[in-house]
Amino acid sequence: MAQVHEHAPAAFTDKAIPGTEKEAVDAAAPHNHDVTVIMGRTLPFPVYTVVFGILAAITIVEVIISELPEGTIGNILLIVLSLIKAVLVVAFYMHLREESPLYTAILVVPVVLVVIATLFLTSVPLGNY
Amino acid sequence: MTVKPSLNSGTPAGGQSLSIIWIVAAALGIIFGGLLIGTLSPSLFPEQASLEAEQVDGLFQFMLVIGGAIFLLVIGVLVFSMVRFRARINDRSDGIPLHGNSTLELIWTLVPAVIVLVVTIYSYQVWISIRTVQPINHDVQAIGARYAWTFNYDITPETLPAGITIDQITEEPIRVALNSESGLDFNSGQLHTWAGEQVEMSMRPEDVNHAFWIPAMRIKQDLLVGRTTSITFTPTDPGTYRIVCAELCGSGHGNMAGTIGYDGELQGAWLVVHPDEETYLREFYEPQVMSVLFPPPDPALRGRATLASAKYPCATCHILDDLGWAGAIGPNLNNVGNNAARRASGTPAEVYLETSIRHPGDYLVPGYGNLMPQFNDETSEPNYMPEEDLTNIIAYLLTQKQ
Amino acid sequence: MATISRPMPGAIPAPKRLRISDYLRWSVDHKVIGVQYMALAFFGFIVGGALAMMIRWELLTPALDVMPDGQAYNQLFTMHGSIMIFVWIIPMFAGFGNYLVPLMLGAKDMAFPWLNAFAFWLLPPAVLLMLLGYFAGQSEAGWTSYPPLSTLYSMDGQTLWALSLHLAGISSILGAINFIVTIKNMRPEGMGYFQMPLFVWAILATSIIIVLATPFLAGALTLLILDRVAGTAFFDPSRGGDVLVWQNVFWFYSHPAVYIMVLPGFGILSEVLSVHARKPIFGYRAIALSSMAIALLGFTVWAHHMFTSLTPALRIPFMITSMIIAVPTGIKIFSWLGTLWGGKIHFRASMLFALGFLSMFVIGGITGVMLASVPVDIHLHDTYFVVSHFHFVLYGGSVFAIYAGLYHWWPKITGRMLDERLGRLHFVLTYLGFFFTFFPQHLVGMQGMPRRVSVYAPEFQGWNTVISLAAFVLGISTFVLLYAMAQSLIAGKRAGANPWRALTLEWATTSPPPPSNFVGDPIPYKDPYGYGTESAFRYLEEVDRRFGIGEPSEGKINTPAPAPAAGD
Amino acid sequence: MTDTTLDHAHDDSHGHGSIAQQADNWKTAFWLYLASEVVIFSVLIAMFVLYRLEFPARIKEVHEAAGVLLVAINTFLLLTSSWAMVMGLHQMRKGDRAGLIRWFSIMCALGALFVGLQYVEYQTLANEGITLYSDSFGMRFYAPTAFHGFHVIVGVLWGLLVINHARKGGYSAERTIGIEVFGLYWHFVDVVWIVLFTVIYLI
Ligand code: HEA
Ligand code: HEA
Ligand code: CUA
Ligand SMILES: [Cu+2]
């Protein structure tokens, strides 16, 4: 949400057009629905409950995979599944889906940074040179 | 400094006098002078005594010229602006309302980019060249311990001095060791090699990280706990060159380098480059090998040889004239033969010395802290000192009386 | 012509000055907090400087003669480095940021005043912890604190040191979050990101680095503390750890940290140069965006501190990235030169320090590029050449910038002018003392003198004597500043609202500003660097008329300046 | 208005006033805080990853010894509490304060249970001889999980504070920022656990 002003922005500003308080409240409105429309069908739960269902299902799948014999495919699958879980929580529960893209940047930049850093650390050989 | 008081320099919005310009210009002049002297001074670097040194120096010189030019440019524009665009007294007008110039900005983005590209490529070439390891080289091991360097040379049946055969070795254990896989070796506090041959040295630290540096060779590599690292260089000129520890390793970090004694003899870690392999063998390698193969019968002499070989880092901290030690951290050992008997009443000198080496904290000479490392008789522990060495060293130390 | 939004009965009087005791209390006013930061930082500078004097005293001669042993010397430079970085430079810039950012944005305070105060009050305990280490056996592993020296071989002061840095780190993260939110949300109407003063840009870039980099230090310190007190072995190879992990994670933080230590300085420079050269800043967008570029690139170069310890194959990429950093930094330097060109340069003390920065930082930057070249760094790593490099960028850069900022904003903060003559004396002494302290260090370093040694080879004695003597001059020069500040507080001339006739918003209020900074909602002048235009001239006249001018009123002030030829 | 106008005619501050403005301040600040948390956690997790790549056999050993059941339950607890949290927010947005308190009580209870079960797990591992300083696995396992556990504890306490505030009549359908910020924290802790669960226990 951009900042709030009673005045129209001057001509030379390049900021987003500020919203008003009224709009801010309206923006929260989508949360108030107790039904979720998914692929054309209407479910009688809030979207949060639907997401919870998916999360629970994925977790069960994960546990099952981990009990199967170890393998690269399994591991990749686990990583992908947990990424999906993380993204679901962040997008729906933390409302990143509907917030300003700036917040997404605030989250993605450090994640990229630490992934690179960790990959680098793993590439430092323990052996002699 | 001449600031004319009449100008009322306290005036916030007032203009400025010429005199301040002169002050600043003079300051800059001095700085220029300093820079010029620095740049022109022939001894920017220590002597150039390895193949690596020639290349690194060339690269540095190249960067110095470029860097110097950039510096002169910046300073030139700066000084010119200061003189040309200074505000005159009582001039309250502003400069021209100029906000930028895309062409100029593009130029001063691209030109530095090209410069750093060139510098990077040149650096990369030098890097590749100094990293090349020759198939044949002189192979040594180095150990860095707080606060001394030890260099370890292998003795194999093939490298015995001319005229010596294995059968001539009288002592059974030495003969067996020489033929075994682990082989025989000896230590020296100095690194010996000869000109024109590449040295490849693997290094490991005893306790904390150190860094092996020979300024005259322009090479440096850290010793990392838990790893063995290696370094290569090719000395070109015979001579002696200081070895320096370049990674903070504790209180004696500064002492972990080659020093010169009062009468000019070399102490601590030095690189000795002999003119050729023959001289190296004759003057350094073979005498050492002989004293290992045919150790003196007297334990005191053996002890002296052990200590002189810098197998243990005692020289850094102790003074002992007989061996030319000049360390200032631990107690003076010149009269240790007498002192050891007196220090702890009821304790025989041998026991006192043994305790002082195995458990240095048990007896402390008044005025000295508990700084000495503990030398253990377990190979698994740091600072391993075999029982045999200990006995010999004690025998030797007991002869040191004044 | 000018329309005035409220009836103008004359100059608005400046509020009463606060007492010293007001600064010792919890306060949520960003101006008080800013001054608290600066005062604490200055204390750190004195302590760190005194330690530096002891270092130089010890190094007058090749032998160990002042300190009882090498360990005591190691403690000296460890404390010197840590205090200078974590108690002087970083808090000082935080102080400038705190004081100026809300003012420049025309805001009444930071976004989170309470958090702001809290962040500050984390610092005094941090300083205390660091100093307390003195009694527990000081830290002695250098400010870089490489294990295993810092874990298995150091005394308890090392733990206190790590705790202290932890606190300082949390403090600066909280501060940085506050800055970012303030800058994002509290700009006045009519000020987009590209109408912000460049100092605000610099603080924004710095804060982004702090938020992303400082937690690396927090993580590394946590592991270090665990290793020291809980018996873990993250950094002990004999029990499955790895010493290089510390080096990597530490420099993940500490290279970005060097830009934390210089970007606000760049920001100060942009302000000072433009105001005192009476000319718009040259290439505003390039300067603003190059800060961001430096912030970003700064995260990719860390291992250039490890050219002698990292696997050889991994060294080259870091050489490339380190070299690239020269480009955005160069853009700034050249843009500043462009700003001077064609200006009307007034050589006030703050301008002198800014020009001093320009000349000296370039040297430090160029030696940085030399060090970035792997083959050269292999020779020069951990020598006095490096010491020289970082004092050129840290003293010739950050400290000169701080001085420039101090002379520039002192009138705003205190309402009093600093004596220009003392300022010039201070500059000349500092400039010369600085140059002759740190320039010869290049030479001894190249010749083979390692850093962090209390004893050195006798052939370096000559230069070291020069260095030490110059360092004493440098130390004494600080007293000139202290004297000038005291004199100004006691008997300084009143400054008026806008002694330098600057266009940024902090000058469009009284000096010092009232508790809520502005009366009403200020409107920023459309271009913070729009000097040389007629409308800017009128705006400045308006500010003078509204808030009054400083002492002495010598008539000059009111003489109409020749209206600039170019309109806007 | 021309260039030389110094301020607006009326006294009106910007920045502090409105609810929406404050909400945005808090959210931005909190996302930034989470950004730095990401980095701290990842340093600790990286220590584990390094070990995982170097000694896969040892990890397998520990997995076999510990079993996945307990942590799977724990994961469910945390997921459910995340859901409870967001449902509480949902209720409050509809103006149902009692609903908020109800859901949040569930959330806190689940969080507390999580901590309890983690303690049980630590005990089990300690019985296997794996402690913080027993071997190089221990430290790399305990550091991130304990740091996360600490965050859960803080979260539960914070949740209780929110409940308390709601009891006293705090929050309204429009003014939920306090809950939202806490929600960001709690879900973040959940996300971290999702990562930890995969990296440490599953792979
Ligand atoms: C304010 C702090 C600061 C700043 C800004 C910098 C800036 C830079 N530093 Fe420095 N550095 C330190 C603080 C800083 N450094 C510290 C404290 C250490 C030591 C840490 C320790 O070990 O204790 C260190 C150490 C250090 C090393 C490791 C040395 C070693 O230990 O072996 C290296 C190596 O690459 C390096 C490189 C650089 C580079 C490339 C820049 C660049 O950003 C510089 C860019 C600037 C310019 C280049 C000048 C302006 C540009 C132009 C005029 C354009 C034209 C120029 C060219 C084309 C070259 N620095
Ligand atoms: C911003 C940071 C900063 C600043 C401003 C300084 C300022 C100074 N530094 Fe700093 N220095 C570092 C950061 C800084 N240093 C760092 C990070 C290290 C590395 C540490 C490490 O290796 O771990 C270092 C290391 C370092 C060394 C190397 C030590 C070694 O490796 O053995 C030396 C040696 O000359 C030195 C000297 C000086 C001097 C003479 C000053 C002078 O400019 C100081 C002048 C200022 C004053 C003197 C203040 C005023 C003092 C008073 C008013 C008190 C009165 C005292 C007397 C006159 C006696 N410093
Ligand atoms: Cu060994 Cu320094
Ligand atoms: Cu760096």
Side-chain angles (χ1 to χ4, degrees):
Chain A
M1 216 147 299
Q3 63 186 99
V4 180
H5 281 306
E6 268 73 16
H7 305 275
F12 40 79
T13 181
D14 58 0
K15 251 183 348 185
I17 304 293
T20 65
E21 205 170 307
K22 176 77 176 51
E23 282 166 12
V25 176
D26 287 347
H31 304 291
N32 292 348
H33 299 306
D34 265 339
V35 292
T36 308
V37 184
I38 187 166
M39 288 188 265
R41 291 183 39 199
T42 308
L43 304 177
F45 324 105
V47 65
Y48 303 130
T49 311
V50 177
V51 171
F52 175 67
I54 302 175
L55 290 175
I58 294 181
T59 309
I60 294 172
V61 174
E62 280 186 326
V63 173
I64 293 173
I65 294 178
S66 81
E67 290 302 299
L68 299 176
E70 273 226 293
T72 323
I73 301 176
N75 283 348
I76 291 175
L77 215 59
L78 283 174
I79 292 174
V80 171
L81 285 177
S82 65
L83 266 181
I84 293 175
K85 271 171 39 177
V87 169
L88 281 177
V89 173
V90 171
F92 286 91
Y93 287 3
M94 296 168 91
H95 305 118
L96 205 52
R97 201 171 48 114
E98 58 221 45
E99 298 277 17
S100 120
L102 181 73
Y103 296 167
T104 316
I106 294 178
L107 183 69
V108 169
V109 169
V111 168
V112 170
L113 187 70
V114 298
V115 168
I116 293 174
T118 310
L119 285 180
F120 177 83
L121 281 181
T122 60
S123 74
V124 175
L126 275 174
N128 304 330
Y129 43 84
Chain B
M1 225 182 45
T2 53
V3 179
K4 287 190 213 126
S6 62
L7 292 173
N8 196 346
S9 42
T11 317
Q16 291 304 320
S17 64
L18 248 181
S19 57
I20 184 70
I21 307 237
W22 287 119
I23 295 167
V24 176
L28 284 172
I30 296 170
I31 285 166
F32 266 134
L35 199 72
L36 239 103
I37 294 167
T39 320
L40 298 180
S41 131
S43 54
L44 267 183
F45 274 124
E47 51 208 319
Q48 203 181 63
S50 71
L51 288 180
E52 291 74 14
E54 288 161 24
Q55 309 201 27
V56 171
D57 291 5
L59 175 59
F60 185 85
Q61 222 76 46
F62 177 70
M63 292 201 288
L64 191 62
V65 170
I66 290 186
I70 294 173
F71 174 73
L72 287 183
L73 176 78
V74 172
I75 287 293
V77 175
L78 189 65
V79 172
F80 180 81
S81 308
M82 283 166 58
V83 177
R84 174 74 180 69
F85 302 116
R86 68 187 189 275
R88 313 297 157 122
I89 300 166
N90 273 342
D91 180 356
R92 303 214 317 131
S93 63
D94 286 353
I96 38 174
L98 177 69
H99 286 268
N101 179 321
S102 319
T103 325
L104 256 181
E105 289 174 41
L106 197 67
I107 291 177
W108 68 49
T109 310
L110 287 184
V111 171
V114 171
I115 292 177
V116 293
L117 185 73
V118 172
V119 172
T120 308
I121 292 175
Y122 186 6
S123 303
Y124 183 68
Q125 284 173 340
V126 172
W127 167 248
I128 292 300
S129 139
I130 65 178
R131 287 287 304 170
T132 316
V133 181
Q134 306 301 330
I136 298 175
N137 53 36
H138 182 43
D139 200 5
V140 193
Q141 287 87 46
I143 297 159
R146 309 216 287 175
Y147 302 102
W149 296 98
T150 309
F151 301 96
N152 183 276
Y153 304 77
D154 286 338
I155 307 173
T156 61
E158 293 81 52
T159 58
L160 294 184
I164 305 286
T165 57
I166 295 190
D167 313 323
Q168 285 172 304
I169 301 170
T170 42
E171 284 196 42
E172 178 76 17
I174 292 179
R175 201 167 55 231
V176 173
L178 186 59
N179 273 320
S180 75
E181 200 161 313
S182 54
L184 262 185
D185 59 1
F186 67 88
N187 289 315
S188 164
Q190 295 175 350
L191 176 57
H192 287 255
T193 185
W194 62 95
E197 171 96 342
Q198 190 177 47
V199 180
E200 183 178 23
M201 190 168 70
S202 61
M203 309 183 288
R204 87 188 151 74
E206 203 48 74
D207 32 42
V208 300
N209 296 356
H210 303 271
F212 180 86
W213 180 33
I214 308 176
M217 306 284 140
R218 316 284 192 274
I219 44 112
K220 186 183 287 127
Q221 170 63 48
D222 286 13
L223 284 71
L224 300 168
V225 179
R227 285 182 174 79
T228 301
T229 52
S230 66
I231 193 169
T232 56
F233 61 97
T234 313
T236 48
D237 297 351
T240 48
Y241 306 100
R242 180 177 274 118
I243 292 170
V244 181
C245 175
E247 182 64 60
L248 178 61
C249 50
S251 63
H253 166 56
N255 300 17
M256 199 166 159
T259 51
I260 297 176
Y262 290 111
D263 15 322
E265 85 281 10
L266 303 183
Q267 295 174 341
W270 290 83
L271 166 71
V272 181
V273 180
H274 298 272
D276 47 38
E277 182 167 12
E278 223 169 279
T279 330
Y280 162 79
L281 290 175
R282 191 177 63 242
E283 291 187 354
F284 171 71
Y285 188 73
E286 289 175 357
Q288 296 273 357
V289 172
M290 292 302 278
S291 75
V292 172
L293 297 183
F294 307 100
D298 180 3
L301 282 180
R302 290 189 188 195
R304 186 178 190 282
T306 309
L307 288 182
S309 78
K311 187 171 175 187
Y312 304 105
C314 320
T316 340
C317 302
H318 294 283
I319 293 177
L320 184 54
D321 292 345
D322 185 38
L323 290 171
W325 294 356
I329 295 166
N332 186 324
L333 295 182
N334 279 337
N335 196 21
V336 66
N338 290 326
N339 288 341
R342 292 199 294 257
R343 277 269 145 70
S345 60
T347 314
E350 292 81 15
V351 181
Y352 175 84
L353 284 179
E354 180 178 343
T355 318
S356 296
I357 293 171
R358 288 273 189 243
H359 306 284
D362 288 8
Y363 301 117
L364 290 181
V365 176
Y368 293 90
N370 185 9
L371 291 172
M372 178 164 148
Q374 172 168 328
F375 293 89
N376 302 297
D377 56 357
E378 292 291 335
T379 36
S380 58
E381 294 191 53
N383 296 317
Y384 169 59
M385 181 188 277
E387 203 58 42
E388 190 194 334
D389 278 6
L390 181 70
T391 325
N392 292 341
I393 288 172
I394 292 175
Y396 166 67
L397 287 181
L398 288 177
T399 64
Q400 291 303 300
K401 299 185 177 173
Q402 264 180 351
Chain C
M1 260 301 273
T3 53
I4 312 298
S5 49
R6 55 173 83 239
M8 199 195 65
I12 296 170
K16 270 223 320 268
R17 260 202 287 176
L18 294 173
R19 283 188 307 264
I20 291 186
S21 59
D22 292 322
Y23 291 102
L24 299 176
R25 283 200 217 112
W26 175 276
S27 163
V28 294
D29 181 347
H30 74 99
K31 297 185 291 303
V32 174
I33 296 172
V35 173
Q36 286 172 331
Y37 267 114
M38 293 194 215
L40 181 70
F42 220 89
F43 167 75
F45 183 47
I46 304 281
V47 174
L51 291 169
M53 294 299 111
M54 311 237 309
I55 294 178
R56 287 320 316 174
W57 191 13
E58 170 62 61
L59 294 179
L60 264 174
T61 61
L64 186 74
D65 33 27
V66 178
M67 291 291 124
D69 52 32
Q71 202 167 20
Y73 179 81
N74 294 353
Q75 294 168 340
L76 270 190
F77 65 72
T78 304
M79 295 298 269
H80 164 70
S82 312
I83 288 180
M84 283 295 195
I85 287 175
F86 296 104
V87 188
W88 162 233
I89 300 287
I90 294 180
M92 192 66 185
F93 281 140
F96 273 115
N98 254 299
Y99 201 96
L100 294 172
V101 166
L103 280 170
M104 287 179 161
L105 296 182
K108 290 198 183 342
D109 207 315
M110 301 276 283
F112 303 102
W114 188 89
L115 188 69
N116 200 19
F118 181 71
F120 169 76
W121 284 102
L122 284 177
L123 268 184
V127 177
L128 207 65
L129 272 179
M130 177 121 46
L131 296 178
L132 271 183
Y134 185 80
F135 301 99
Q138 282 152 285
S139 48
E140 45 159 328
W143 84 281
T144 53
S145 196
Y146 281 8
L149 184 61
S150 61
T151 50
L152 303 175
Y153 291 83
S154 295
M155 288 182 281
D156 289 340
Q158 197 76 37
T159 312
L160 295 180
W161 174 90
L163 286 171
S164 156
L165 259 54
H166 236 315
L167 278 184
I170 295 170
S171 155
S172 70
I173 292 177
L174 294 180
I177 291 177
N178 212 341
F179 280 130
I180 297 180
V181 175
T182 307
I183 294 169
K184 170 174 174 283
N185 285 350
M186 298 178 69
R187 275 169 290 122
E189 180 188 337
M191 189 189 279
Y193 282 110
F194 286 99
Q195 281 84 35
M196 294 193 310
L198 285 167
F199 178 74
V200 179
W201 266 102
I203 291 287
L204 179 62
T206 310
S207 301
I208 293 175
I209 306 182
I210 292 178
V211 168
L212 294 180
T214 312
F216 278 115
L217 180 69
L221 287 171
T222 307
L223 301 180
L224 189 83
I225 293 172
L226 282 178
D227 263 18
R228 289 191 55 85
V229 301
T232 61
F234 289 103
F235 306 128
D236 178 1
S238 68
R239 291 168 55 213
D242 182 358
V243 292
L244 278 187
V245 167
W246 166 269
Q247 297 191 9
N248 272 309
V249 182
F250 178 81
W251 290 115
F252 281 160
Y253 162 71
S254 280
H255 185 85
V258 309
Y259 296 115
I260 295 175
M261 289 184 269
V262 84
L263 282 179
F266 289 168
I268 291 178
L269 219 71
S270 300
E271 302 298 326
V272 170
L273 284 175
S274 168
V275 170
H276 297 278
R278 311 297 318 152
K279 198 169 154 278
I281 195 87
F282 194 96
Y284 174 94
R285 265 172 198 261
I287 296 186
L289 294 177
S290 64
S291 292
M292 290 295 162
I294 292 174
L296 193 74
L297 277 172
F299 279 98
T300 64
V301 304
W302 73 91
H304 67 207
H305 297 272
M306 301 166 61
F307 281 158
T308 63
S309 54
L310 199 64
T311 323
L314 287 176
R315 295 175 190 172
I316 293 300
F318 294 96
M319 165 165 91
I320 299 170
T321 51
S322 306
M323 295 261 179
I324 294 175
I325 294 251
V327 177
T329 319
I331 292 177
K332 280 186 191 295
I333 302 274
F334 294 126
S335 299
W336 288 329
L337 289 178
T339 306
L340 293 179
W341 195 271
K344 296 272 168 144
I345 303 173
H346 295 256
F347 294 101
R348 295 160 187 139
S350 70
M351 187 61 165
L352 292 179
F353 276 107
L355 298 173
F357 175 110
L358 262 183
S359 55
M360 292 299 102
F361 180 80
V362 169
I363 299 185
I366 289 171
T367 54
V369 171
M370 292 173 169
L371 288 172
S373 164
V374 181
V376 170
D377 185 66
I378 287 193
H379 176 57
L380 293 176
H381 171 68
D382 268 348
T383 64
Y384 262 83
F385 193 92
V386 175
V387 175
S388 183
H389 157 68
F390 67 71
H391 283 95
F392 262 86
V393 283
L394 277 171
Y395 205 106
S398 313
V399 178
F400 274 31
I402 288 172
Y403 282 160
L406 203 60
Y407 282 98
H408 189 69
W409 281 295
W410 178 271
K412 177 53 61 185
I413 297 172
T414 62
R416 305 292 178 134
M417 301 303 290
L418 279 167
D419 188 335
E420 281 293 321
R421 249 172 300 182
L422 284 175
R424 273 182 235 165
L425 176 66
H426 177 217
F427 171 72
V428 172
L429 283 180
T430 306
Y431 198 64
L432 294 180
F434 162 77
F435 187 82
F436 287 103
T437 305
F438 295 114
F439 195 78
Q441 290 185 351
H442 289 122
L443 306 177
V444 287
M446 289 157 75
Q447 285 286 325
M449 178 163 166
R451 63 192 277 207
R452 296 174 167 173
V453 293
S454 50
V455 296
Y456 54 86
E459 61 257 36
F460 304 128
Q461 170 151 28
W463 276 125
N464 269 293
T465 313
V466 173
I467 294 170
S468 289
L469 294 179
F472 298 148
V473 173
L474 185 58
I476 290 167
S477 79
T478 317
F479 288 105
V480 180
L481 175 64
L482 289 175
Y483 175 75
M485 294 199 293
Q487 194 224 35
S488 159
L489 286 179
I490 295 164
K493 298 206 170 100
R494 261 193 298 281
N498 193 0
W500 318 126
R501 297 172 58 77
L503 284 172
T504 39
L505 261 184
E506 79 272 26
W507 301 103
T509 182
T510 53
S511 307
S516 61
N517 289 349
F518 299 95
V519 184
D521 260 3
I523 299 177
Y525 181 69
K526 60 179 175 181
D527 173 358
Y529 305 105
Y531 300 103
T533 59
E534 190 166 341
S535 77
F537 179 79
R538 284 202 309 273
Y539 176 88
L540 291 173
E541 294 290 298
E542 182 59 34
V543 171
D544 277 354
R545 212 165 319 147
R546 166 78 71 84
F547 297 103
I549 51 175
E551 269 180 297
S553 44
E554 278 171 62
K556 274 197 294 201
I557 295 290
N558 290 328
T559 51
D568 53 312
Chain D
M1 260 183 276
T2 69
D3 300 338
T4 41
T5 314
L6 293 190
D7 51 32
H8 297 291
H10 52 93
D11 253 21
D12 167 59
S13 70
H14 67 277
H16 277 301
S18 68
I19 300 178
Q21 179 64 58
Q22 273 192 349
D24 190 60
N25 280 358
W26 275 107
K27 276 198 237 165
T28 314
F30 211 80
W31 275 105
L32 287 165
Y33 164 75
L34 292 184
S36 62
E37 282 271 33
V38 167
V39 175
I40 299 191
F41 266 111
S42 65
V43 171
L44 301 180
I45 297 174
M47 294 304 122
F48 186 88
V49 172
L50 288 179
Y51 187 81
R52 169 67 184 74
L53 294 176
E54 204 67 31
F55 306 101
R58 171 85 178 120
I59 301 288
K60 234 182 144 152
E61 217 177 285
V62 178
H63 280 177
E64 260 147 41
V68 78
L69 181 67
L70 194 61
V71 276
I73 294 175
N74 246 350
T75 307
F76 264 102
L77 293 181
L78 219 51
L79 276 181
T80 316
S81 87
S82 237
W83 175 59
M85 146 82 232
V86 82
M87 288 308 282
L89 175 63
H90 185 63
Q91 298 302 333
M92 194 63 239
R93 283 211 170 125
K94 292 194 296 189
D96 178 0
R97 188 169 288 119
L100 168 77
I101 296 174
R102 207 168 44 241
W103 281 108
F104 265 50
S105 309
I106 299 177
M107 176 236 112
C108 287
L110 292 172
L113 202 58
F114 174 91
V115 176
L117 282 187
Q118 199 169 33
Y119 180 74
V120 173
E121 187 208 353
Y122 281 7
Q123 287 299 316
T124 328
L125 283 176
N127 289 339
E128 301 271 338
I130 298 171
T131 61
L132 183 59
Y133 39 82
S134 62
D135 68 345
S136 43
F137 173 78
M139 60 191 184
R140 285 152 200 272
F141 166 78
Y142 283 105
T145 53
F147 193 56
H148 175 265
F150 169 73
H151 277 76
V152 177
I153 294 174
V154 171
V156 170
L157 295 178
W158 188 351
L160 291 175
L161 282 181
V162 172
I163 294 177
N164 191 34
H165 191 63
R167 272 241 187 80
K168 289 190 194 143
Y171 311 117
S172 67
E174 287 77 38
R175 200 181 260 278
T176 52
I177 180 64
I179 309 174
E180 280 181 67
V181 166
F182 168 63
L184 289 181
Y185 177 84
W186 191 248
H187 298 310
F188 173 76
V189 171
D190 190 24
V191 171
V192 170
W193 182 255
I194 290 176
V195 174
L196 284 180
F197 178 57
T198 309
V199 171
I200 297 188
Y201 296 98
L202 294 184
I203 294 188

